[in-house]
Each structure stands twice: as C-alpha cells, then as structure tokens.
Amino acid sequence: MNKSFTYSILKYRHSLLLEESLNLGLLFHFPDESTLHFIVGDEERIKAVYPNFDTSFFHALTRAFKRKLDSKLVPGDRPAPIYLKEYIQKILLPEDATALRFSEPATAVYHHGSPEKAIESFRRLFLPDHHSLKPEEQRHNEGYLIKKFAELISLRHVNIDRKMKKNRIVEENKLKITFDLSWQNGIEHLVKPVSFDLLHEQDIQDKSVRFFGYLNLLTGFAEKNECHFDLLVSPPRNPALHGSYEDAIARLQSSTAPLEVIPEQSIENYSENTAAILLNKPDVR
C-alpha cells in the first residue's frame, strides 16, 4: 500500500547575492503516523564547501529543532504541505531568517517499508556524504575559492578569527552585499569569491554583468569608507569557454570601483602577501 509523506529541505544560503545554497537537513511529516522527523547532513561536507560556517550555532539550532518536534500544531483539514509550512513558520524557523531557510514543502510516496527507510532514501538523495562526491564533480565554486584562501592564510600562521572580519555586510544605493572576509592595511580590503566555473557561455556573461553592476553601485561606498574590493575568481574547466571567461574578467576590471581581480592561480601569492601584512597587525577583536 502506497503512503504519502511531506518533506522540506533546510538550506544554508551562503550568499544572497549569488543565490547559491547548500542542503543542511531534511524535515519529514508522515501524516498516517502523525510523526515529524528532522535529520542533518554530513558536517564534513558543509565545512568543505564553507569553511567559515558556524557549526556551533548550527548544532544549537538543530538541537532546538529536534526539541520542538514534540510541539503541537493541529493539522485540521489542511493539506499536508500547508500544514508542514505552517509548522515551520510557527514552531521551527520564522520567515525572516536569512541564511537558513526551509524550502517549500513537497509531497512524495513510499511504496513499501517503514518511514525510516523513506528517510534514509531521501537522506542519500539530498544529503550526500562529503566523500561520496567524486573529485571531478567538485567544481571550483565560491566555497572552494574562499576555502583555498583561508587555508593558505592559516598555513602562514595567521589566525583568521583574530586578524580578519567575517561576513562583512556592505550597504549602498539600497544594495546589501556580504563579503566573506575583510582585512585592514591602511584601507579595508573586502574579499569576495566569484566563480566562473560554469557550464555555459551565457551563464558566464550574465554573472560578470551582474557583478559589474554591483561593483559600480558600490563605488561611492568604497570612496567614502576607503575600501578596496578583492575578487577571487576561478575559470571554467571547459577550454572552449575560456574566451568568455577572459571577457568576463575584462568586464569586471572596467568597473569604476577600486578593485583587484585575483585569478585562482594567483591566490597563493595574494594570501602570502596578505599574511605578511596581517602578522604585523593588531587583532581586530
């Protein structure tokens, strides 16, 4: 006998600007059993993609989620997806949460076995283990770039937590952007990874145009606050797209904003120079 259940994916939106997200957990509602279940993904996978992810906060939040699963919200006559959405909003996580958000609930069917088997099947689908990803499938995305930079800085004995600021929010012209890291050297360097390891020429063009616009809008902020934008960029792995990548870099460099485009192959030199400066600077906190 087929039974239906409803599920929602807990996502971490590292950058609202890039609209990229990573699956962190799954919430299930089994109406026939009147049960709710919440599971989390592989922490190693999260840290591999976003090394600055605050795992202590995430652990506290997920523990709170599991405690709240016993909280009652009467289903009434509402369809299961609507019930689960209301449960999330009223009990677990309000809509104004920014970095963490549950997806729109969806309904699925399990044909045999127990809810536990359905949960395990969906865990493998939506929350793969870190080591299940093949190297060729690991694109040089924003998480990869900032992780590489952070690791190179740490190897040079710089404590990022003490010497740099994380998630620096910049607001100008009704635009809000979060820069992953920032550091001081007379002026403030705002570090942002921008990956062009994409599959299509149009995607590379669109992304470069979008960032060109963002940078121009932030020119006034940079001048008023003595800031400099340091963009860590990666090329597409498909050689046929390298022409589009070069056009994208030229477009970024033509921005009116004070910036430096740091290609992936130059991140080591950039991190070495940055570390040399920060080792002689006082802690920021």
Side-chain angles (χ1 to χ4, degrees):
M1 177 181 175
N2 294 342
K3 292 185 178 182
S4 66
F5 64 94
T6 308
Y7 68 94
S8 177
I9 307 169
L10 178 64
K11 295 176 174 289
Y12 171 59
R13 296 187 299 171
H14 173 70
S15 171
L16 300 182
L17 172 65
L18 299 176
E19 299 181 354
E20 292 185 346
S21 63
L22 180 71
N23 295 348
L24 299 187
L26 283 166
L27 176 67
F28 298 88
H29 175 224
F30 293 87
D32 292 334
E33 287 79 15
S34 299
T35 57
L36 289 158
H37 301 268
F38 177 73
I39 61 172
V40 297
D42 179 9
E43 186 176 309
E44 285 188 30
R45 178 171 176 264
I46 300 170
K47 292 293 288 183
V49 179
Y50 299 121
N52 296 323
F53 182 75
D54 189 347
T55 54
S56 59
F57 168 75
F58 181 60
H59 291 162
L61 188 67
T62 53
R63 285 196 299 269
F65 283 173
K66 291 178 179 179
R67 288 195 302 269
K68 291 177 180 179
L69 290 186
D70 293 329
S71 302
K72 301 300 180 184
L73 185 66
V74 179
D77 296 328
R78 287 163 292 186
I82 295 177
Y83 167 73
L84 189 61
K85 184 173 184 177
E86 289 185 4
Y87 193 95
I88 291 168
Q89 294 174 352
K90 294 180 179 180
I91 305 294
L92 296 185
L93 195 65
E95 278 192 330
D96 59 359
T98 53
L100 293 175
R101 179 166 294 185
F102 280 97
S103 67
E104 284 291 319
T107 299
V109 173
Y110 62 108
H111 305 283
H112 55 80
S114 63
E116 287 73 23
K117 289 184 178 180
I119 290 171
E120 176 58 22
S121 174
F122 271 61
R123 184 201 67 78
R124 291 195 301 269
L125 179 63
F126 289 107
L127 303 173
D129 295 334
H130 171 53
H131 298 295
S132 67
L133 297 177
K134 298 177 182 178
E136 61 269 20
E137 295 174 339
Q138 297 176 353
R139 293 198 165 273
H140 291 193
N141 58 13
E142 279 74 17
Y144 172 89
L145 289 170
I146 201 68
K147 178 176 183 289
K148 181 176 182 178
F149 174 63
E151 287 179 343
L152 288 169
I153 285 285
S154 298
L155 284 173
R156 290 169 171 83
H157 308 293
V158 172
N159 187 324
I160 290 178
D161 292 330
R162 293 183 176 276
K163 298 291 186 179
M164 307 179 86
K165 291 182 180 179
K166 298 179 181 179
N167 300 321
R168 170 76 159 86
I169 298 175
V170 168
E171 295 186 62
E172 181 78 0
N173 294 318
K174 298 182 180 180
L175 176 69
K176 180 187 289 188
I177 295 181
T178 300
F179 287 81
D180 299 66
L181 294 168
S182 70
W183 57 278
Q184 291 280 349
N185 180 31
I187 62 173
E188 184 178 18
H189 290 260
L190 300 171
V191 182
K192 186 75 177 172
V194 183
S195 170
F196 291 105
D197 187 9
L198 304 172
L199 299 177
H200 304 288
E201 179 179 348
Q202 188 64 47
D203 294 337
I204 294 173
Q205 175 180 295
D206 291 347
K207 192 168 188 176
S208 66
V209 169
R210 190 166 73 248
F211 269 91
F212 173 81
Y214 294 150
L215 291 165
N216 284 349
L217 288 172
L218 294 176
T219 299
F221 177 92
E223 292 173 350
K224 288 183 294 186
N225 296 276
E226 297 186 318
C227 293
H228 190 274
F229 304 123
D230 296 353
L231 306 181
L232 312 178
V233 301
S234 56
R237 282 175 291 173
N238 183 352
L241 297 176
H242 283 186
S244 299
Y245 169 71
E246 291 173 1
D247 291 341
I249 298 305
R251 186 172 294 115
L252 293 178
Q253 291 174 328
S254 68
S255 166
T256 56
L259 64 90
E260 180 181 4
V261 176
I262 301 139
E264 184 178 340
Q265 66 269 22
S266 300
I267 291 178
E268 184 166 0
N269 288 336
Y270 172 69
S271 63
E272 184 176 359
N273 295 334
T274 302
I277 294 168
L278 293 180
L279 286 172
N280 296 313
K281 293 284 184 180
D283 293 351
V284 296
R285 62 189 74 184

